[in-house]
Amino acid sequence: MPMLDHLWIILALPLAGAAINGLLGKNWPKAAVNSVAIGSVSLAFFAVVETVREFLQLRADQIPVVKSYFTWMTAGAFKVNFGLQVDQLTIVMLLTVTFVGTLIHIYSTGYMAHEEGYYRFFSYLNLFMFFMLTLVLAANIVVMFVGWEGVGLCSYLLIGFWFLKQSAISAGKKAFITTRIGDFGFTIGILLLFWTFRSVDFGTIFLKVSGMPSDTMTQAGVLTTICILLFTGAVGKSAQLPLYVWLPDAMEGPTPVSALIHAATMVTAGVYMVARMHPLFSRAPIAMLIVAIVGAATAFYSATIGLVQTDIKKVLAYSTVSQLGYMFLACGVGAYAAGIFHLMTHAFFKGLLFLCAGSVIHAMGGEQDMRKMGGLRKAIPITFWTMFIATFAISGVPGFAGFFSKDEILEAAQSGPHANLPLWLLGLVAAGLTSFYMFRLVFLTFFGEQRFDEHRVHVHESPKNMTVPLMVLAFFAIFGGWFAAPHLVGGTNYFDKFLHPVFASYQVQTTAGQEEASARPASEEGTASPAIDLVHALTGPPVIVGLIGILLAWWFYIRNPELPKKLASSMYALYSLVLHKYYVDEIYAAIIVQPLLWISTNVLWHTVDEGLIDGTVNGSARLAREAGGQLRELQSGNARSYASWVVVGAVGVTALLLGIWMKVH
């Protein structure tokens, strides 16, 4: 049975796992719940591997593979099929989601072993996998929207998994409401997309847009409007300025949730959507500039907040927001393949960082404050070395996965066809800040003196079902970026080459009728000297600022551990501003949340609901009750009273008949 003809199986497996555990798992032993949860996502991963094998045997004219299974909705000209598709971009996302997702499911069996609602947790995780895979496989934007909203629902459920904890409940609501703001714009964008192209299928839309003239920087048309509206949804889902505020609070959920949803998969949905819709964005230069500006600004802004956070998961949360900014910067300067490359490598090293943080928290008995850690590297060596590897990767140290993808992004921002030097500079500074705060995390957690009571905290390494996924991800944090390694010596960037057909298919044509340089694989651009290219890559600005960040972190937290306190005291105003995250949450509360609550309470509730609606309903009831009370007094049970009313009635009827007779005659 060819998997390419039955892509629905990839979706059905995790959905079945979610349904089985959700309906039956409550009374099952944990081993049975594990078998269903891990088995379903593992089978989905193997189904994806078989899909990739079949896909690689196809001819170029058979790609993308689109399968329409049934007509889902029809309303006049509006028709939506439940269609799934596979191309090179889909393949990268499918492998990343299912592979990392399987490892995190395995890790969760150890991390969540003693939690109530065990079956419910894995049911939610499986349901998330179903919606994420739906988003990735969708052949039209309406099916994508189902996955888009579904992962938002699962995020809400998993952030608030500990529903007896008020902070978790609030964080879940905050995530759900904040992302709805972006999704409102996304919904309008979908409607405008259909109104413009009379279709929601990607293939039809991209074919029609390829024959349309591009918007310009001086004239924004419907394409620019559509792209900005779609990007609004990406800003919410992928936690970019100004809708990033939900992601740091989402750390209230269990750590495996942070690793899977808020680092490796869901938050990258916005990046994937922009890359998927690149035929539109490439023809809307204003929208692309907005994407690049938001991405670069978010990368820098979030990195500054990460410098002073003390909660180990909050540091990683702001790091995630910053790294997502890099991906949007790549898309904004037309380097879509570089953005997807960083999405993949980020899934490896950031997923690993969160899982290592969970292992540290597990070892420390639930403690998350790095100021209460220190000296843990000998007590939990596997966690230490794997986290050290992931930190090298995110810092862009040569040879590690993050080096290859981050270098491509900054190179495109500096010298690509849509280069923007101010944005490149922001990205470069953010790279230095990333190295600093990540090594600050490592040094505070694993080095120096122990800052906890050994008699109260029994530090121990995590069990194998937690450490084995760490080691597997550590391998990919090192070697996951080596697809691009030959490019350093003038060879082929195999990742870029693999994605080239996707991003070259509907490229904007220049006046000469040739594809823009951004669509060419790096291997076609030529090179002066492999040795010179290698030296340039290993000694370029991104590497230099990264090393400076590492050295500064060592100087501050190993060589002179009292220096950070002195510096914070001498620059207290700036330190306090960054520590309180620029008071953005407080500003939002004062400007948006409190006024809306006042309007809701005083206008919508007391005036409209209680005064108008309840007043009308209750007033009608009160009037009927009073009238009934008056009429009830007529039924006194007194025979004289009844006789009197009979006489009155007879007189009245006689008078009425007499009046009618006189009028007739």
Side-chain angles (χ1 to χ4, degrees):
M1 181 179 66
M3 275 303 304
L4 284 174
D5 291 332
H6 300 86
L7 296 173
W8 58 269
I9 293 176
I10 299 174
L11 304 180
L13 288 167
L15 180 62
I20 293 171
N21 271 337
L23 296 174
L24 306 175
K26 185 176 182 178
N27 299 317
W28 284 359
K30 290 178 180 177
V33 174
N34 295 344
S35 298
V36 172
I38 298 175
S40 63
V41 294
S42 299
L43 289 174
F45 171 68
F46 290 125
V48 168
V49 171
E50 173 60 20
T51 301
V52 174
R53 187 191 68 79
E54 296 175 13
F55 177 83
L56 294 177
Q57 296 176 347
L58 296 176
R59 301 191 310 270
D61 60 353
Q62 295 175 302
I63 299 173
V65 178
V66 181
K67 298 295 179 181
S68 182
Y69 295 101
F70 56 86
T71 299
W72 180 21
M73 290 184 286
T74 302
F78 182 74
K79 181 180 179 181
V80 180
N81 294 321
F82 182 78
L84 305 178
Q85 74 170 29
V86 173
D87 61 6
Q88 290 85 349
L89 177 58
T90 311
I91 289 296
V92 172
M93 294 297 297
L94 286 176
L95 287 172
T96 302
V97 171
T98 53
F99 177 68
V100 176
T102 300
L103 291 176
I104 293 175
H105 274 71
I106 296 171
Y107 176 95
S108 299
T109 61
Y111 191 87
M112 302 296 292
H114 305 293
E115 297 292 340
E116 295 291 332
Y118 188 83
Y119 77 98
R120 181 167 52 88
F121 177 81
F122 280 99
S123 178
Y124 292 164
L125 275 190
N126 278 178
L127 186 63
F128 166 79
M129 293 291 291
F130 162 73
F131 281 121
M132 188 67 199
L133 292 170
T134 300
L135 188 157
V136 170
L137 279 168
N140 62 69
I141 200 163
V142 176
V143 175
M144 175 187 275
F145 187 68
V146 172
W148 186 276
E149 291 299 301
V151 294
L153 168 65
C154 293
S155 178
Y156 166 75
L157 294 173
L158 286 164
I159 293 170
F161 175 75
W162 289 313
F163 55 82
L164 297 178
K165 186 179 177 183
Q166 184 58 46
S167 57
I169 297 172
S170 299
K173 290 189 293 185
K174 185 175 183 179
F176 194 78
I177 294 170
T178 304
T179 53
R180 295 288 76 70
I181 296 171
D183 290 350
F184 176 76
F186 190 68
T187 305
I188 301 301
I190 293 174
L191 296 175
L192 185 57
L193 197 67
F194 173 75
W195 182 80
T196 304
F197 297 102
R198 312 307 296 173
S199 176
V200 293
D201 294 329
F202 292 137
T204 303
I205 293 171
F206 297 163
L207 190 61
K208 289 183 177 181
V209 79
S210 62
M212 294 176 60
S214 301
D215 291 350
T216 65
M217 291 298 292
T218 57
Q219 185 175 8
V222 67
L223 292 180
T224 300
T225 305
I226 291 172
C227 289
I228 291 174
L229 287 169
L230 295 179
F231 181 60
T232 303
V235 166
K237 192 69 69 183
S238 296
Q240 298 293 284
L241 286 170
L243 300 179
Y244 72 95
V245 292
W246 67 268
L247 183 57
D249 287 11
M251 298 303 106
E252 291 292 338
T255 300
V257 174
S258 303
L260 178 63
I261 295 184
H262 305 129
T265 52
M266 187 199 87
V267 291
T268 60
V271 180
Y272 170 74
M273 184 274 295
V274 172
R276 173 60 70 196
M277 304 301 292
H278 75 275
L280 278 71
F281 279 87
S282 296
R283 287 168 173 76
I286 294 177
M288 286 187 67
L289 180 61
I290 291 173
V291 172
I293 291 173
V294 170
T298 303
F300 172 77
Y301 171 83
S302 300
T304 62
I305 299 177
L307 295 174
V308 297
Q309 296 299 303
T310 56
D311 185 310
I312 189 170
K313 287 179 67 177
K314 286 290 181 72
V315 175
L316 297 179
Y318 282 105
S319 172
T320 298
V321 176
S322 182
Q323 296 303 307
L324 290 167
Y326 273 109
M327 299 175 206
F328 282 112
L329 172 61
C331 293
V333 297
Y336 299 104
I340 297 299
F341 192 19
H342 197 58
L343 183 156
M344 183 188 75
T345 60
H346 178 264
F348 297 143
F349 61 69
K350 183 53 67 62
L352 176 57
L353 283 168
F354 267 110
L355 295 186
C356 287
S359 185
V360 170
I361 295 167
H362 176 82
M364 292 291 297
E367 182 58 64
Q368 296 184 198
D369 192 335
M370 296 183 296
R371 295 171 298 181
K372 300 177 182 178
M373 298 179 186
L376 294 176
R377 67 184 185 279
K378 294 181 180 179
I380 46 175
I382 297 176
T383 300
F384 164 67
W385 283 110
T386 52
M387 195 164 200
F388 208 57
I389 289 169
T391 303
F392 273 125
I394 194 174
S395 300
V397 174
F400 292 81
F403 161 73
F404 298 100
S405 55
K406 189 180 292 186
D407 187 71
E408 276 195 43
I409 293 172
L410 292 176
E411 182 180 351
Q414 180 187 21
S415 57
H418 300 281
N420 190 308
L421 290 181
L423 299 183
W424 170 79
L425 185 60
L426 273 180
L428 187 65
V429 174
L433 297 177
T434 300
S435 295
F436 179 85
Y437 68 67
M438 285 307 307
F439 274 90
R440 168 181 176 265
L441 180 151
V442 169
F443 292 149
L444 283 175
T445 304
F446 296 102
F447 290 83
E449 298 180 355
Q450 294 182 355
R451 298 181 294 276
F452 57 89
D453 187 350
E454 292 181 339
H455 300 291
R456 299 183 61 184
V457 180
H458 175 59
V459 178
H460 56 286
E461 185 62 273
S462 299
K464 287 186 178 179
N465 53 352
M466 293 174 65
T467 55
V468 170
L470 298 185
M471 291 185 281
V472 174
L473 284 173
F475 176 85
F476 285 94
I478 299 172
F479 299 107
W482 280 71
F483 299 101
H487 180 52
L488 300 181
V489 291
T492 301
N493 182 333
Y494 289 104
F495 190 89
D496 191 39
K497 183 178 181 180
F498 180 71
L499 288 179
H500 174 67
V502 175
F503 297 121
S505 299
Y506 302 98
Q507 279 293 332
V508 179
Q509 302 294 312
T510 63
T511 54
Q514 301 296 321
E515 292 179 354
E516 290 189 357
S518 60
R520 302 191 195 108
S523 59
E524 297 179 6
E525 295 177 4
T527 180
S529 167
I532 292 176
D533 280 355
L534 180 61
V535 171
H536 174 74
L538 298 180
T539 60
V543 175
I544 292 173
V545 298
L547 292 176
I548 291 173
I550 296 172
L551 291 174
L552 284 175
W554 174 83
W555 181 264
F556 273 61
Y557 296 98
I558 300 296
R559 186 71 175 82
N560 298 286
E562 297 300 320
L563 187 57
K565 295 180 181 178
K566 295 179 181 178
L567 188 62
S569 299
S570 63
M571 305 176 64
Y572 180 75
L574 179 60
Y575 173 76
S576 180
L577 179 66
V578 179
L579 181 64
H580 291 90
K581 299 160 286 190
Y582 299 98
Y583 297 97
V584 170
D585 282 293
E586 290 79 1
I587 293 171
Y588 283 180
I591 296 178
I592 300 174
V593 177
Q594 294 302 327
L596 285 176
L597 286 175
W598 186 91
I599 293 171
S600 177
T601 302
N602 294 283
V603 178
L604 299 179
W605 177 16
H606 292 312
T607 303
V608 177
D609 191 10
E610 290 185 338
L612 183 60
I613 299 175
D614 287 354
T616 301
V617 174
N618 295 338
S620 301
R622 186 168 54 253
L623 179 63
R625 184 172 60 251
E626 291 176 354
Q630 295 295 325
L631 293 173
R632 183 179 59 196
E633 294 180 359
L634 299 178
Q635 305 297 323
S636 62
N638 190 313
R640 282 186 186 177
S641 176
Y642 291 163
S644 299
W645 283 110
V646 169
V647 172
V648 171
V651 171
V653 171
T654 303
L656 178 63
L657 293 175
L658 182 61
I660 294 173
W661 182 83
M662 292 178 65
K663 187 175 181 180
V664 172
H665 294 83

